[in-house]
Amino acid sequence: MKKFLNSVDTVLTESLDGFVAAHSDILVLGDDHKFVRRKELKPGKVALISGGGSGHEPLHGGLVGHGMLDAACPGQVFTSPTPDQMLAAVQAVDTGAGCLFIVKNYEGDVMNFDMAAEMSEGVLQVVTNDDVAVENSSYTTGRRGVAGTLVVEKIVGAAAEQGVALPELKALGHRINGATRSMGVALTSCTVPAAGKPTFEIGDNEMEFGVGIHGEPGRRRDALKSADAIAEEVCAAIVGDLGDRAKGPALLFVNGFGATPSMELYLMYNSARKIFEKSGVTVARSLVGSYVTSLDMAGCSITLAMLDQEMTALWDAPVRTAALRWGM
């Protein structure tokens, strides 16, 4: 294993220290590294809180700031944050309008966010489950929450910034999640620092089709194919799952898993866009880059989110975070 490390025991805290120092104009680090929060809170605004295991950066800490999250709770690598982290975040960012938890559908995350919500007042939740690859996995009951979580956080975050109330934000989050589908493909494994070796073995001429963001098995192991052939199968799975809803304007998000260069991600975007538009989708908005990663895994996911006028306007609304910035 070759990584920039001092110790596997301190990699998370040292990374968080550097992350917040680099973005000290917009971020503050919570006590005991329990959370990262917006430096400037907006009184009377519903606070959005998310989090999960580290290793997926810039999700979630990189999405804290104006127009998105108010706080993010980082767990150890691929390990859920603890309920006391979420409770501390609620206490730090709730300015009186309540909090909305945005939770990826992984058993540890759901259980711990549920516990924190039960011990808090004025907290509602949205659980994301946009991955169409498998119905159940080693980490979940039901579909996994993956890159579509970013779409939910951006659109709901913009609505919260505009003063929308907690119940309406929860409903909006469910609506966006319901309109969003994703699937990923891995070309290599990732290596968790504490393990010191790849999570799974994969041949030089193989790919894991439908992989999870922790390296969980997907639909099948297959021979490596051309980018067009990979995109064709992924896009067909997404369109097939959306059914009649896969018509009209949409956001196309091609997400890298950590070790795939931009050149390849844009190539995959080019393939996916052509395929979706042939099926009746109009790509109205786009995002390409490594935003929901799996440490050093090579691969990517494709996310399609069907948009209405309200969602489009909220996607376009100003945002200022470490990872996403526009309109300001």
Side-chain angles (χ1 to χ4, degrees):
M1 178 180 73
K2 290 184 178 180
K3 291 183 180 292
F4 292 108
L5 294 174
N6 294 313
S7 165
V8 295
D9 296 326
T10 60
V11 60
L12 176 57
T13 56
E14 291 179 274
S15 178
L16 287 170
D17 287 340
F19 172 63
V20 173
H23 300 285
S24 59
D25 57 327
I26 60 171
L27 299 177
V28 173
L29 185 60
D31 292 342
D32 301 320
H33 297 80
K34 288 183 177 179
F35 58 86
V36 174
R37 72 162 175 86
R38 289 171 64 162
K39 187 172 185 178
E40 301 293 336
L41 299 176
K42 187 173 182 179
K45 184 188 86 68
V46 173
L48 268 58
I49 300 173
S50 192
S54 297
H56 304 304
E57 290 78 13
L59 191 84
H60 292 276
L63 304 177
V64 173
H66 179 94
M68 288 195 77
L69 300 176
D70 292 271
C73 302
Q76 292 296 320
V77 174
F78 294 174
T79 303
S80 173
T82 57
D84 70 295
Q85 290 180 254
M86 282 73 94
L87 288 171
V90 168
Q91 293 166 4
V93 300
D94 186 356
T95 63
C99 297
L100 183 68
F101 288 166
I102 299 176
V103 188
K104 300 188 303 301
N105 188 35
Y106 290 95
E107 288 178 351
D109 289 1
V110 171
M111 178 179 67
N112 288 348
F113 273 96
D114 278 348
M115 291 176 63
E118 290 171 3
M119 292 185 283
S120 306
E121 293 184 3
V123 174
L124 297 179
Q125 299 188 71
V126 171
V127 176
T128 61
N129 60 352
D130 52 299
D131 190 353
V132 303
V134 293
E135 282 297 329
N136 297 286
S137 76
S138 53
Y139 282 72
T140 63
T141 300
R143 292 183 172 184
R144 303 174 292 211
V146 289
T149 308
L150 177 149
V151 181
V152 175
E153 292 176 353
K154 171 63 184 79
I155 293 177
V156 175
E161 206 71 50
Q162 295 174 7
V164 175
L166 182 57
E168 286 74 25
L169 290 177
K170 176 182 170 75
L172 176 63
H174 284 302
R175 185 155 61 91
I176 301 159
N177 178 67
T180 303
R181 299 291 188 275
S182 303
M183 184 181 283
V185 177
L187 306 183
T188 70
S189 176
C190 55
T191 300
V192 176
K197 61 181 181 179
T199 300
F200 59 90
E201 297 296 329
I202 187 167
D204 290 341
N205 295 314
E206 292 182 318
M207 63 180 185
E208 184 71 27
F209 185 79
V211 71
I213 57 173
H214 307 94
E216 311 99 298
R219 289 189 172 187
R220 68 180 187 279
R221 183 70 55 87
D222 205 349
L224 184 62
K225 300 178 180 179
S226 70
D228 283 345
I230 293 169
E232 186 72 50
E233 189 165 353
V234 172
C235 294
I238 289 171
V239 169
D241 199 85
L242 283 168
D244 293 340
R245 290 174 291 177
K247 302 290 181 185
L251 163 70
L252 173 55
F253 171 24
V254 175
N255 170 67
F257 284 152
T260 300
S262 294
M263 180 174 68
E264 294 177 34
L265 296 179
Y266 280 107
L267 187 154
M268 287 298 293
Y269 170 87
N270 187 54
S271 295
R273 182 178 184 127
K274 291 177 181 177
I275 294 163
F276 281 134
E277 292 193 333
K278 284 181 181 178
S279 73
V281 171
T282 301
V283 178
R285 298 293 183 272
S286 304
L287 183 67
V288 180
S290 295
Y291 294 100
V292 184
T293 63
S294 184
L295 292 169
D296 53 349
M297 181 185 286
C300 74
S301 60
I302 295 174
T303 296
L304 191 72
M306 306 311 299
L307 299 174
D308 57 25
Q309 287 187 337
E310 178 189 18
M311 292 179 188
T312 303
L314 291 169
W315 178 262
D316 290 343
V319 58
R320 186 166 185 256
T321 69
L324 293 182
R325 295 191 181 197
W326 60 71
M328 296 186 72

